[in-house]
Protein backbone atom coordinates (compact mmCIF):
# COMPACT_ATOMS: atom_id res chain seq x y z
CA UNK A 1 0.00 0.00 0.00
CA UNK A 2 1.05 3.60 -0.57
CA UNK A 3 -0.43 6.57 1.28
CA UNK A 4 -0.99 10.04 -0.18
CA UNK A 5 -1.80 13.03 2.04
CA UNK A 6 -3.64 16.01 0.59
CA UNK A 7 -3.80 19.17 2.76
CA UNK A 8 -6.97 21.23 2.54
CA UNK A 9 -5.54 24.43 4.03
CA UNK A 10 -2.37 26.48 3.65
CA UNK A 11 -1.57 25.89 7.32
CA UNK A 12 -1.55 22.09 6.99
CA UNK A 13 0.38 22.40 3.73
CA UNK A 14 3.10 24.31 5.60
CA UNK A 15 3.11 21.77 8.44
CA UNK A 16 3.61 18.86 6.03
CA UNK A 17 6.44 20.62 4.21
CA UNK A 18 8.19 21.45 7.47
CA UNK A 19 7.86 17.85 8.67
CA UNK A 20 9.20 16.52 5.36
CA UNK A 21 12.23 18.81 5.49
CA UNK A 22 13.08 18.06 9.11
CA UNK A 23 12.84 14.31 8.41
CA UNK A 24 15.24 14.75 5.48
CA UNK A 25 17.62 16.85 7.56
CA UNK A 26 17.78 14.29 10.34
CA UNK A 27 18.21 11.37 7.93
CA UNK A 28 21.10 12.99 6.07
CA UNK A 29 22.83 14.54 9.07
CA UNK A 30 22.81 11.28 11.07
CA UNK A 31 24.20 9.03 8.33
CA UNK A 32 27.23 7.26 9.73
CA UNK A 33 29.66 7.58 6.84
CA UNK A 34 32.79 9.61 6.23
CA UNK A 35 31.60 11.14 2.96
CA UNK A 36 30.75 14.86 3.31
CA UNK A 37 27.86 14.69 0.80
CA UNK A 38 25.10 13.66 3.24
CA UNK A 39 26.07 16.66 5.37
CA UNK A 40 26.09 18.87 2.26
CA UNK A 41 22.48 17.84 1.60
CA UNK A 42 21.64 18.28 5.31
CA UNK A 43 22.94 21.84 5.23
CA UNK A 44 21.01 22.58 2.03
CA UNK A 45 17.91 21.18 3.73
CA UNK A 46 18.54 23.40 6.74
CA UNK A 47 18.42 26.42 4.44
CA UNK A 48 15.15 25.11 2.97
CA UNK A 49 13.70 24.78 6.48
CA UNK A 50 14.74 28.36 7.23
CA UNK A 51 12.83 29.61 4.18
CA UNK A 52 9.82 27.28 4.51
CA UNK A 53 9.17 28.00 8.18
CA UNK A 54 10.27 31.62 8.24
CA UNK A 55 6.78 33.06 7.71
CA UNK A 56 6.12 35.49 10.58
CA UNK A 57 2.59 34.29 11.36
CA UNK A 58 3.49 30.58 11.34
CA UNK A 59 4.61 30.56 14.98
CA UNK A 60 1.34 32.23 16.03
CA UNK A 61 -0.66 29.66 14.00
CA UNK A 62 1.17 26.82 15.75
CA UNK A 63 0.72 28.29 19.22
CA UNK A 64 -2.97 28.93 18.67
CA UNK A 65 -3.57 25.36 17.49
CA UNK A 66 -1.56 23.95 20.40
CA UNK A 67 -3.72 25.91 22.83
CA UNK A 68 -6.90 24.79 21.09
CA UNK A 69 -5.81 21.16 21.32
CA UNK A 70 -4.84 21.63 24.97
CA UNK A 71 -8.36 22.87 25.72
CA UNK A 72 -9.85 19.88 23.87
CA UNK A 73 -7.65 17.54 25.94
CA UNK A 74 -8.47 19.27 29.22
CA UNK A 75 -12.19 19.01 28.42
CA UNK A 76 -11.86 15.28 27.67
CA UNK A 77 -12.73 15.65 23.98
CA UNK A 78 -9.58 13.82 22.85
CA UNK A 79 -9.42 10.11 23.57
CA UNK A 80 -6.59 8.92 25.82
CA UNK A 81 -4.86 10.36 28.87
CA UNK A 82 -6.34 13.85 28.88
CA UNK A 83 -4.22 15.26 31.74
CA UNK A 84 -0.96 13.91 30.32
CA UNK A 85 -1.74 15.15 26.81
CA UNK A 86 -2.75 18.57 28.08
CA UNK A 87 0.52 18.87 30.01
CA UNK A 88 2.53 17.72 27.00
CA UNK A 89 0.87 20.26 24.74
CA UNK A 90 1.56 22.98 27.31
CA UNK A 91 5.23 21.98 27.52
CA UNK A 92 5.63 21.99 23.72
CA UNK A 93 4.04 25.46 23.52
CA UNK A 94 6.33 26.79 26.26
CA UNK A 95 9.41 25.43 24.47
CA UNK A 96 8.34 27.21 21.29
CA UNK A 97 7.55 30.45 23.12
CA UNK A 98 10.98 30.27 24.75
CA UNK A 99 12.62 30.98 21.37
CA UNK A 100 12.46 34.78 21.27
CA UNK A 101 14.35 35.44 18.04
CA UNK A 102 12.92 35.19 14.54
CA UNK A 103 12.94 31.69 13.12
CA UNK A 104 16.38 30.99 11.65
CA UNK A 105 17.75 34.41 12.65
CA UNK A 106 20.99 32.90 14.00
CA UNK A 107 21.59 31.35 10.58
CA UNK A 108 20.94 34.63 8.77
CA UNK A 109 23.45 36.39 11.02
CA UNK A 110 26.20 33.91 10.11
CA UNK A 111 27.94 35.40 7.07
CA UNK A 112 29.77 32.14 6.34
CA UNK A 113 26.52 30.16 6.15
CA UNK A 114 24.77 32.81 4.07
CA UNK A 115 27.65 32.82 1.57
CA UNK A 116 27.21 29.05 1.19
CA UNK A 117 23.45 29.45 0.84
CA UNK A 118 23.89 31.92 -2.00
CA UNK A 119 26.42 29.73 -3.82
CA UNK A 120 24.13 26.70 -3.52
CA UNK A 121 21.75 28.49 -5.88
CA UNK A 122 24.44 28.42 -8.59
CA UNK A 123 25.05 25.18 -10.49
CA UNK A 124 28.36 23.85 -9.18
CA UNK A 125 28.73 26.97 -7.06
CA UNK A 126 30.07 25.18 -3.97
CA UNK A 127 33.12 23.70 -5.67
CA UNK A 128 36.41 23.94 -3.69
CA UNK A 129 37.78 26.91 -5.66
CA UNK A 130 34.50 28.85 -5.19
CA UNK A 131 34.23 28.23 -1.43
CA UNK A 132 37.57 27.07 -0.01
CA UNK A 133 36.35 27.64 3.57
CA UNK A 134 33.39 25.36 2.94
CA UNK A 135 35.71 22.77 1.36
CA UNK A 136 37.85 22.94 4.50
CA UNK A 137 34.74 22.32 6.65
CA UNK A 138 33.76 19.35 4.49
CA UNK A 139 37.20 17.84 5.14
CA UNK A 140 36.64 17.96 8.90
CA UNK A 141 35.88 14.69 10.76
CA UNK A 142 32.28 13.43 10.60
CA UNK A 143 31.73 14.16 14.30
CA UNK A 144 32.88 17.76 13.88
CA UNK A 145 30.47 18.42 11.01
CA UNK A 146 27.61 16.68 12.82
CA UNK A 147 28.16 18.81 15.94
CA UNK A 148 27.99 21.96 13.82
CA UNK A 149 24.79 20.84 12.09
CA UNK A 150 23.16 20.04 15.42
CA UNK A 151 24.23 23.42 16.82
CA UNK A 152 22.77 25.29 13.83
CA UNK A 153 19.51 23.32 14.05
CA UNK A 154 19.08 23.57 17.84
CA UNK A 155 16.81 26.62 18.00
CA UNK A 156 14.66 25.25 15.16
CA UNK A 157 13.80 22.02 16.95
CA UNK A 158 10.92 23.41 19.10
CA UNK A 159 9.13 24.21 15.83
CA UNK A 160 9.72 20.66 14.60
CA UNK A 161 8.43 19.24 17.89
CA UNK A 162 5.28 21.38 17.81
CA UNK A 163 4.49 20.66 14.16
CA UNK A 164 5.12 16.95 14.70
CA UNK A 165 2.73 16.84 17.63
CA UNK A 166 -0.02 18.68 15.77
CA UNK A 167 0.30 16.40 12.75
CA UNK A 168 0.18 13.35 15.03
CA UNK A 169 -3.10 14.65 16.45
CA UNK A 170 -4.41 15.38 12.96
CA UNK A 171 -3.52 11.91 11.66
CA UNK A 172 -4.95 10.26 14.75
CA UNK A 173 -8.27 12.08 14.56
CA UNK A 174 -9.55 10.32 11.46
CA UNK A 175 -12.71 8.89 9.94
CA UNK A 176 -12.03 6.24 7.28
CA UNK A 177 -14.20 4.75 4.54
CA UNK A 178 -13.51 2.11 1.89
CA UNK A 179 -14.21 3.41 -1.62
CA UNK A 180 -13.95 2.39 -5.26
CA UNK A 181 -13.02 4.82 -8.01
CA UNK A 182 -15.07 3.53 -10.93
CA UNK A 183 -13.11 3.91 -14.14
CA UNK A 184 -10.55 5.80 -12.09
CA UNK A 185 -12.95 8.48 -10.83
CA UNK A 186 -14.65 9.05 -7.46
CA UNK A 187 -16.88 11.88 -6.27
CA UNK A 188 -18.57 12.56 -2.93
CA UNK A 189 -20.63 15.37 -1.44
CA UNK A 190 -21.06 13.77 1.98
CA UNK A 191 -17.66 14.06 3.64
CA UNK A 192 -17.44 14.93 7.33
CA UNK A 193 -17.35 18.60 8.35
CA UNK A 194 -14.22 20.56 9.35
CA UNK A 195 -11.82 18.30 7.46
CA UNK A 196 -8.27 19.65 7.25
CA UNK A 197 -6.56 16.85 5.33
CA UNK A 198 -7.53 13.91 3.13
CA UNK A 199 -5.45 10.73 3.12
CA UNK A 200 -5.74 8.14 0.38
CA UNK A 201 -4.36 4.62 0.74
CA UNK A 202 -4.17 2.55 -2.44
CA UNK A 203 -2.43 -0.66 -3.51
CA UNK A 204 0.93 -0.21 -5.21
CA UNK A 205 -0.09 -2.74 -7.86
CA UNK A 206 -2.54 -0.22 -9.36
CA UNK A 207 0.30 2.26 -10.09
CA UNK A 208 -2.27 5.00 -9.53
CA UNK A 209 -1.73 8.56 -8.30
CA UNK A 210 -4.70 10.47 -6.87
CA UNK A 211 -5.50 13.92 -8.24
CA UNK A 212 -7.76 15.60 -5.69
CA UNK A 213 -10.10 18.54 -5.98
CA UNK A 214 -11.97 19.34 -2.77
CA UNK A 215 -14.10 22.11 -1.27
CA UNK A 216 -16.87 22.24 1.33
CA UNK A 217 -19.45 21.08 -1.21
CA UNK A 218 -17.83 18.27 -3.18
CA UNK A 219 -14.70 16.13 -3.30
CA UNK A 220 -13.53 14.71 -6.61
CA UNK A 221 -10.69 12.18 -6.86
CA UNK A 222 -9.29 11.06 -10.20
CA UNK A 223 -6.51 8.50 -10.46
CA UNK A 224 -3.70 8.97 -12.97
CA UNK A 225 -1.15 6.42 -14.09
CA UNK A 226 2.27 6.74 -12.45
CA UNK A 227 4.78 7.79 -15.10
CA UNK A 228 8.49 8.59 -15.05
CA UNK A 229 8.36 10.12 -18.52
CA UNK A 230 5.55 12.65 -18.25
CA UNK A 231 4.78 15.14 -15.48
CA UNK A 232 1.15 14.08 -15.54
CA UNK A 233 0.18 10.52 -16.36
CA UNK A 234 -2.83 9.34 -18.34
CA UNK A 235 -6.16 8.84 -16.53
CA UNK A 236 -6.68 5.35 -15.13
CA UNK A 237 -9.50 3.60 -16.99
CA UNK A 238 -10.08 0.65 -14.64
CA UNK A 239 -11.72 0.51 -11.20
CA UNK A 240 -9.42 1.42 -8.28
CA UNK A 241 -10.35 0.37 -4.72
CA UNK A 242 -8.88 2.68 -2.07
CA UNK A 243 -9.32 3.83 1.50
CA UNK A 244 -10.26 7.46 2.08
CA UNK A 245 -9.34 8.96 5.47
CA UNK A 246 -10.71 12.32 6.58
CA UNK A 247 -8.43 14.00 9.11
CA UNK A 248 -9.41 16.94 11.31
CA UNK A 249 -7.98 19.03 14.14
CA UNK A 250 -11.49 19.00 15.59
CA UNK A 251 -12.52 15.80 17.39
CA UNK A 252 -14.56 13.65 14.98
Amino acid sequence: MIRFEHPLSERVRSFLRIEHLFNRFQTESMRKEDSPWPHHLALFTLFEIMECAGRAELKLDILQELERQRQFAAAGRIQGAQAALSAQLQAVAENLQGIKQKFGQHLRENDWLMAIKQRMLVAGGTSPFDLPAYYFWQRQPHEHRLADLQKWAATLLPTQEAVGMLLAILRGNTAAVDCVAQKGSYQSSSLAQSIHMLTIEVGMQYRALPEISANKYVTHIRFLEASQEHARGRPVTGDVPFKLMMCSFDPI
Side-chain angles (χ1 to χ4, degrees):
M1 303 296 288
I2 184 170
R3 179 173 290 189
F4 298 92
E5 294 180 327
H6 182 78
L8 298 180
S9 69
E10 187 61 34
R11 179 178 56 171
V12 176
R13 187 174 289 109
S14 295
F15 289 176
L16 290 174
R17 285 173 176 159
I18 291 168
E19 177 191 56
H20 168 74
L21 289 171
F22 270 112
N23 286 343
R24 195 172 80 191
F25 171 79
Q26 292 183 330
T27 298
E28 296 301 331
S29 65
M30 296 305 293
R31 282 194 183 181
K32 297 186 180 300
E33 57 184 84
D34 291 332
S35 170
W37 301 118
H39 286 173
H40 174 80
L41 179 56
L43 185 58
F44 180 78
T45 304
L46 198 63
F47 294 145
E48 285 192 274
I49 293 171
M50 182 182 75
E51 296 299 328
C52 182
R55 187 166 50 88
E57 62 271 21
L58 179 66
K59 182 176 180 179
L60 180 60
D61 288 345
I62 294 173
L63 289 171
Q64 287 177 340
E65 191 58 48
L66 286 170
E67 175 58 22
R68 210 164 68 95
Q69 294 300 322
R70 191 193 66 78
Q71 292 177 4
F72 284 153
R77 296 184 61 188
I78 300 177
Q79 293 182 354
Q82 286 82 18
L85 180 58
S86 178
Q88 187 179 4
L89 286 160
Q90 181 66 33
V92 169
E94 289 176 356
N95 287 342
L96 184 57
Q97 287 176 317
I99 305 299
K100 301 302 182 183
Q101 65 183 19
K102 182 181 178 181
F103 187 88
Q105 184 62 32
H106 65 297
L107 301 178
R108 294 183 177 87
E109 293 175 351
N110 186 317
D111 292 340
W112 183 78
L113 286 174
M114 289 301 96
I116 296 170
K117 180 176 182 290
Q118 289 299 318
R119 295 302 301 176
M120 281 184 172
L121 301 176
V122 179
T126 58
S127 58
F129 70 85
D130 282 302
L131 290 174
Y134 182 49
Y135 174 64
F136 180 84
W137 180 80
Q138 290 179 306
R139 301 289 292 178
Q140 296 297 307
H142 175 276
E143 295 75 15
H144 178 100
R145 299 194 309 268
L146 178 58
D148 282 341
L149 288 168
Q150 291 175 335
K151 176 184 67 177
W152 295 328
T155 60
L156 311 182
L157 296 182
T159 298
Q160 178 196 22
E161 182 184 31
V163 167
M165 189 167 192
L166 289 177
L167 286 176
I169 291 173
L170 180 63
R171 291 176 177 128
N173 192 32
T174 299
V177 58
D178 291 323
C179 307
V180 176
Q182 296 181 348
K183 296 183 179 180
S185 182
Y186 173 85
Q187 185 167 303
S188 175
S189 58
S190 59
L191 297 184
Q193 299 298 311
S194 300
I195 300 303
H196 300 100
M197 182 173 74
L198 295 177
T199 300
I200 292 175
E201 197 173 78
V202 61
M204 289 284 290
Q205 70 272 23
Y206 294 101
R207 295 186 57 81
L209 311 177
E211 184 179 68
I212 303 170
S213 175
N215 56 45
K216 62 181 180 180
Y217 301 110
V218 65
T219 295
H220 181 250
I221 301 169
R222 179 170 63 170
F223 285 94
L224 306 176
E225 295 178 357
S227 171
Q228 285 72 56
E229 295 181 359
H230 305 285
R232 191 169 180 271
R234 294 177 299 180
V236 172
T237 57
D239 292 351
V240 181
F242 66 98
K243 179 177 287 187
L244 176 62
M245 288 161 275
M246 296 159 280
C247 310
S248 176
F249 284 119
D250 302 329
I252 294 179

